[in-house]
Amino acid sequence: MSLLVQKFGGSSLADLQKLQAVADRVVATRARGHDLVVVVSAMGRTTDELLGMARDVVGAPSRRELDMLLSVGERISMALLSMAIHARGHEAISLTGSQCGIITTHSHSNARIMDVRPFRVQDELEKGHIVIVAGYQGTSYRREVTTLGRGGSDTTAVALAAALGAEACEIYSDVDGVYDADPRVVLDAKQLDTLTHDEMMEMARSGAKVLNEQAVEFARRAGIALYARSTHIAESRGTVVRPDGFDERAADAERGRPIVAVSNINAGLWIQATTSTDAVCRAIEEFDTAVADCSETAVAAFLPTQDLHDVTALTAALRALGPDVEVSSRGLVSAVGQGAGSRLRWLRAANQALRVADLATERTFVMLNRLSWVVAEADVVAAANVIHDTLVKS
Amino acid sequence: MSLLVQKFGGSSLADLQKLQAVADRVVATRARGHDLVVVVSAMGRTTDELLGMARDVVGAPSRRELDMLLSVGERISMALLSMAIHARGHEAISLTGSQCGIITTHSHSNARIMDVRPFRVQDELEKGHIVIVAGYQGTSYRREVTTLGRGGSDTTAVALAAALGAEACEIYSDVDGVYDADPRVVLDAKQLDTLTHDEMMEMARSGAKVLNEQAVEFARRAGIALYARSTHIAESRGTVVRPDGFDERAADAERGRPIVAVSNINAGLWIQATTSTDAVCRAIEEFDTAVADCSETAVAAFLPTQDLHDVTALTAALRALGPDVEVSSRGLVSAVGQGAGSRLRWLRAANQALRVADLATERTFVMLNRLSWVVAEADVVAAANVIHDTLVKS
């Protein structure tokens, strides 16, 4: 039997009624003859409520104890979902991250998966059980409970799919797939049928929240197709994230239309320096999602606010590195597509359209699969629409 | 440094304010120079709320999944208490039942502790950390999450105290010790300064809820003194449960006053049979708290309702065993004291006082350290008062 891994996010499990609907969907998939591993997030606002309690107790909780606390959220979901599947006459068993063999680094609240040893999952699948797994958590090599950071349940799902050799991994959420721009920002954004892992990773890195970046990276390395689908639509077609060259769109790119989507980051720090460049680069190199150009004579870098623990402290620390270090607030708009950086024609077209719309850009970054513009925070929406009109719709 | 184990129940942790008060008390104990292990229950109504969610999902949840679900309650408490202790400038670390090496039987929802391997706890104590432990839970030899049943956090505390060679184990709750009768039933009940492990076990078995029976049994085997104290009284003297012969009360008993307390069970099944006696005995032998007399020609047994999963089903099953099997509702009143059963004088005095008060008794059971009377449910309160007046107060 073919093995599917399905992941349901917190909004798909917001209350017991929604949890029952997820159970229906799982049982229906089972009835189509699949072996099934189901990864769940914490129900609705559980994580926020637990976090609120922690902050009531102490301003800055220890990350180790926070992991102990937050990891219970997924355990509640998995036990209840397993019970709901029993009630439908199917055999199910819930397993914690640790019981699934999700081995992580020791970095609390932001651990990365190092290894997956899914022996227990395989045993239960062989017995014909539907396996329900607590997402977002693992156990470190020191046997400590760890959590994987934002979007971590996606990563759990893909890592298990890879380790188990699953046919595919389906990520269910409130949205019905990946759009060619954020629909809250670009009103005529359209759902994409398909895109490559590289493109999805660039989108995640540049502001799209629909799939977690590490999850897509795992899927790429394992060559697993990822389906982003809606929980609420019975036959949601959704979007497929596939290895490069899998589909006809590769041909589109050959014909000269490399850009598939626009993404945006509404708030970030924009850092420039001409002296102390080495110190500034070292101070920001830990931020994976930074867009930066570091040379000996100049640094220019954009850091998304959402990835910063303490913006005020970081700003002060950067300014203290030298009198010429400038730190200000900016947004970022990006155009993503396989080979986007290798066609200057599209960069030129976008720059011209932005100029016509009277939208100033602070700087343009050209990457292999992505073009990014640093703009004023107030201009993010307008710039995203202009670039979508110019490079995606046309 | 001497090692203390303290246990705080759910009502002592009913909300964040109470949790902060517990943190103050822990830090104060620490300041007196003790090494400390703190065992916590789930906060307030957490367990009931989780149970309610499970019953909303499915009428009869699987016990394995219920253990997965309910075990999160203590994890929330332990992480928050650890944070609250950090906020007071002390080093603390929370550990799950599994991390503490609490190894149990595989019997979900009612597991018994088989072994304690507290290596991790010892490591953390050696580093000078206050160790916060999730009560009520362990891990089976199959590496499954298990829970210990009602009052299980007491058992965790005593089992750890025994395994670590602690000086004493303090059980904190809303009541300020053990009383010589249930104060809700006998209005002039008095707090006891001290009693023996045997007496406390008999009280727990015959209806007193202040300490868990298995916990007292562990303490007795390890020769550990148990202190039952109030969370709300700063210098709560409480009650000490000690090995036999430890105190002057042993001398009292020698002088002929063996009864220390009265206990009561308000509701139970009263079973009588003269044929099918073997089948009836087999049907009830799994209930540890049964008071029974089984012979080949007659069975008489009292089973507390609170220990029965499904009273209606059990009643039907018993009646089906034979036409003469009688099952009805009764209560039980007991007089507990080291050697209570060996002095007929006290039994006679009690029987006479019950007769004078016009309280009919169905049957009297005489045990080594306890006398028990089966009475009508409506007579439990009156009978408990008569026996308290006659055997304890006088």
Side-chain angles (χ1 to χ4, degrees), chain A residues 63 67 104-112 140-141 146-148:
Chain A
R63 302 215 290 183
D67 277 0
T104 74
T105 60
H106 196 66
S107 169
H108 282 292
S109 86
N110 200 25
R112 287 180 73 90
S140 75
Y141 47 89
T146 51
T147 65
L148 305 176

Side-chain angles (χ1 to χ4, degrees), chain A residues 57-284:
Chain A
V57 169
V58 49
S62 114
R63 302 215 290 183
R64 189 234 177 230
E65 296 298 338
L66 211 46
D67 277 0
M68 273 290 196
L69 183 68
L70 298 184
S71 63
V72 311
E74 290 74 26
R75 293 179 181 214
I76 296 174
S77 313
M78 74 176 185
L80 291 174
L81 182 60
S82 180
M83 291 173 192
I85 292 170
H86 293 163
R88 284 157 178 78
H90 286 259
E91 301 251 38
I93 185 163
S94 70
L95 297 177
T96 66
S98 161
Q99 287 174 331
C100 291
I102 308 274
I103 314 295
T104 74
T105 60
H106 196 66
S107 169
H108 282 292
S109 86
N110 200 25
R112 287 180 73 90
I113 295 177
M114 295 172 69
D115 197 8
V116 181
R117 300 171 192 161
F119 313 118
R120 179 80 196 271
V121 180
Q122 286 160 328
D123 281 355
E124 298 295 340
L125 288 171
E126 269 164 35
K127 288 184 203 156
H129 293 169
I130 299 171
V131 180
I132 316 294
V133 173
Y136 175 69
Q137 63 190 256
T139 183
S140 75
Y141 47 89
R142 295 188 210 164
R143 303 196 56 76
E144 288 279 67
V145 175
T146 51
T147 65
L148 305 176
R150 203 157 12 118
S153 293
D154 289 6
T155 315
T156 302
V158 178
L160 274 174
L164 294 165
E167 182 192 331
C169 180
E170 302 178 333
I171 309 284
Y172 285 92
S173 72
D174 269 0
V175 294
D176 59 338
V178 181
Y179 277 67
D180 65 9
D182 181 342
R184 290 163 301 183
V185 169
V186 176
L187 295 182
D188 55 354
K190 285 202 175 55
Q191 194 194 311
L192 291 162
D193 289 336
T194 174
L195 70 171
T196 68
H197 289 115
D198 285 335
E199 288 165 346
M200 192 63 240
M201 280 175 69
E202 283 296 351
M203 285 182 69
R205 229 180 259 146
S206 62
K209 294 195 176 61
V210 57
L211 289 173
N212 172 281
E213 187 194 335
Q214 199 197 355
V216 182
E217 196 186 325
F218 269 110
R220 187 187 60 161
R221 271 197 259 145
I224 287 176
L226 272 182
Y227 292 81
R229 289 190 169 143
S230 163
T231 320
H232 310 301
I233 303 171
E235 296 292 326
S236 172
R237 197 183 40 153
T239 301
V240 193
V241 182
R242 282 183 175 155
D244 192 12
F246 221 96
D247 64 319
E248 321 83 64
R249 241 230 9 277
D252 275 10
E254 287 306 304
R255 284 193 299 272
R257 298 183 47 191
I259 307 298
V260 294
V262 170
S263 53
N264 55 284
I265 296 172
N266 295 338
L269 285 192
W270 173 234
I271 302 149
Q272 287 175 289
T274 52
T275 58
S276 327
T277 52
D278 191 52
V280 173
C281 275
R282 252 185 295 128
I284 62 175

Side-chain angles (χ1 to χ4, degrees), chain A residues 353-376:
Chain A
L354 288 167
R355 211 159 38 235
V356 167
D358 206 18
L359 293 163
T361 57
E362 194 82 43
R363 169 85 180 235
T364 310
F365 289 95
V366 178
M367 288 158 273
L368 182 62
N369 298 319
R370 165 179 160 203
L371 308 169
S372 284
W373 292 266
V374 178
V375 299

